[in-house]
């Protein structure tokens, strides 16, 4: 397995997609699209959307994300935000000052719907992120830029959605003399939606090829109840050639999540929570991610 720099870009941000196992490239229809397929940003409701996510990993490594998007009209969406990863200073106990480790990713996003806005099937959208990345390790720092490209087709045969994205295209990062490539991802996915009475269900499958590892298969399920105000989610993620397993963990291959929305005439407020059990490969601790979204209609 190879190595890459800026591993802050490897984390599946957003409680909703995280709860669905990361199967989101075709589902992308909200501000979480920024992290999987920027084309989905063109599906936001017109006006402003603000978003915050907090995620705490093993060793007290924390991710805080803030985004703001503006749906300018029925076709275009522009915005941006920042991802900040930080952790407590590391005291090596050797008399030297503690070591600081942090990463900052500044994101500028844009998305556009193609074709006639009056069409209600085979709707095509494209999107792009431009990212400026700064990584600090003790007295050393590295900077680079990267971009993500996304494409999405929605309501194909009035039921299927397709998505494709390429993430983290850019020059390598350089610490002192060593150069390390960015974690390139190629994602493709399909989602199928079904509504029976007042219950809406979405099933999703993503196939991802990271540049430094084997194929990854993500499966996700989302069900909405009570006039789209309550959400239940689950997902599964499997990497080819990797055997997971650990003691006393019945859900080691699954993720779970819930969401709640308060809908008012002029705005929506949504809170999403995901539960990621220890997989004994990437982490030995159970973790939670919380996201808060505010939409101004």
């Amino acid at each position: 397995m190879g190595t890459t720099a800026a591993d802050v870009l490897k984390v599946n941000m957003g409680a909703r997609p995280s709860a669905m196992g990361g199967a989101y490239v075709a589902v992308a229809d909200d501000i979480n699209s920024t992290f999987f397929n920027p084309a989905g940003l063109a599906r936001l409701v017109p006006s402003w959307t603000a978003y915050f996510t907090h995620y705490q990993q093993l060793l007290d490594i924390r991710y805080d994300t803030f985004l703001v998007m503006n749906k300018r009209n029925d076709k275009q969406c522009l915005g941006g935000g920042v991802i900040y990863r930080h952790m407590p200073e590391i005291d090596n106990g050797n008399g030297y000052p503690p070591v600081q480790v942090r990463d900052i990713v500044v994101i500028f996003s844009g998305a556009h719907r193609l074709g006639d806005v009056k069409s209600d099937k085979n709707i095509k959208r494209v999107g792009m992120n431009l990212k400026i990345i700064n990584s600090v390790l003790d007295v050393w720092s590295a900077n680079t830029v990267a971009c993500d490209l996304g494409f999405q087709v929605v309501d194909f045969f009035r039921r299927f959605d397709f998505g494709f994205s390429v993430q983290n295209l850019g020059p390598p990062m350089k610490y002192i003399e060593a150069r390390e490539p960015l974690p390139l991802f190629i994602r493709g996915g399909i989602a199928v939606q079904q509504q029976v009475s007042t219950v809406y269900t979405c099933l999703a499958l993503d196939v991802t090829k990271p540049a430094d590892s084997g194929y990854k298969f993500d499966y996700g399920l989302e069900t909405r109840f009570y006039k789209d105000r309550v959400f239940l989610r689950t997902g599964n993620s499997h990497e080819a050639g990797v055997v997971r397993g650990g003691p006393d963990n019945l859900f080691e291959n699954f993720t779970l999540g819930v969401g709640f929305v308060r809908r008012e005439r002029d705005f929506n407020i949504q809170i999403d929570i995901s539960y990621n059990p220890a997989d004994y490969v990437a982490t030995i601790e159970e973790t939670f991610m919380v996201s808060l979204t505010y939409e101004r209609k």
Side-chain angles (χ1 to χ4, degrees):
M1 180 180 295
T3 59
T4 59
D7 57 351
V8 62
L9 301 175
K10 292 184 175 183
V11 176
N12 288 340
M13 296 303 301
R16 182 187 177 200
S18 176
M20 297 178 68
Y24 209 72
V25 70
V27 175
D29 62 357
D30 62 5
I31 201 166
N32 290 294
S33 306
T34 308
F35 312 120
F36 292 84
N37 185 355
L41 293 171
R43 301 174 70 177
L44 291 176
V45 297
S47 197
W48 292 92
T49 303
Y51 173 91
F52 175 77
T53 286
H54 177 76
Y55 177 42
Q56 185 167 328
Q57 275 190 326
L58 182 68
L59 300 178
D60 206 22
I61 300 174
R62 302 182 182 187
Y63 297 77
D64 294 305
T65 302
F66 180 71
L67 301 173
V68 175
M69 297 293 167
N70 177 225
K71 182 70 176 293
R72 298 166 57 86
N73 50 49
D74 289 336
K75 282 196 169 188
Q76 297 177 337
C77 179
L78 295 174
V82 61
I83 301 173
Y84 178 44
R85 182 176 71 169
H86 54 105
M87 61 185 295
E89 295 181 337
I90 302 172
D91 187 355
N92 292 319
N94 54 10
Y96 289 97
V99 175
Q100 295 184 359
V101 180
R102 67 176 183 272
D103 299 273
I104 299 176
V105 182
V106 179
I107 306 172
F108 301 95
S109 303
H112 183 78
R113 172 173 170 165
L114 305 176
D116 187 357
V117 296
K118 296 181 180 180
S119 174
D120 62 352
K121 61 181 179 180
N122 295 341
I123 303 169
K124 300 177 181 65
R125 297 177 175 89
V126 294
M128 182 177 72
N129 293 327
L130 174 63
K131 298 186 281 194
I132 302 172
I133 306 155
N134 171 258
S135 182
V136 173
L137 175 59
D138 197 15
V139 297
W140 299 282
S141 66
N143 302 280
T144 191
V145 295
C147 74
D148 306 333
L149 302 174
F151 176 74
Q152 193 177 58
V153 181
V154 177
D155 287 339
F156 188 71
F157 289 124
R158 297 189 179 276
R159 182 172 297 181
F160 297 96
D161 298 339
F162 297 93
F164 176 81
S165 68
V166 181
Q167 295 180 289
N168 306 322
L169 291 164
M173 298 192 76
K174 181 181 178 181
Y175 283 102
I176 313 177
E177 296 299 329
R179 291 181 177 270
E180 295 182 350
L182 296 178
L184 179 68
F185 291 95
I186 300 175
R187 302 180 187 267
I190 182 173
V192 58
Q193 305 177 32
Q194 181 66 49
Q195 184 169 353
V196 178
S197 185
T198 59
V199 178
Y200 165 92
T201 301
C202 176
L203 290 167
L205 166 66
D206 279 14
V207 179
T208 303
K209 180 58 178 76
D212 61 346
S213 61
Y215 284 93
K216 184 167 169 283
F217 301 90
D218 302 319
Y219 317 90
L221 168 67
E222 178 180 71
T223 303
R224 306 179 187 179
F225 304 91
Y226 191 54
K227 299 180 180 180
D228 285 356
R229 288 182 169 88
V230 179
F231 304 78
L232 296 179
R233 307 180 182 107
T234 187
N236 180 286
S237 184
H238 171 72
E239 183 178 336
V242 175
V243 178
R244 297 172 182 255
D248 302 323
N249 191 345
L250 298 178
F251 303 102
E252 59 199 13
N253 296 321
F254 291 89
T255 53
L256 301 170
V258 296
F260 305 94
V261 181
R262 178 177 177 180
R263 302 186 186 278
E264 300 292 342
R265 185 179 64 178
D266 298 327
F267 66 89
N268 297 332
I269 295 179
Q270 179 168 338
I271 183 169
D272 297 296
I273 302 171
S274 69
Y275 165 67
N276 299 272
D279 57 20
Y280 298 93
V281 174
T283 177
I284 58 173
E285 285 190 353
E286 301 172 333
T287 58
F288 293 86
M289 187 181 297
V290 179
S291 298
L292 180 65
T293 305
Y294 173 84
E295 293 182 337
R296 187 74 181 179
K297 299 180 182 178

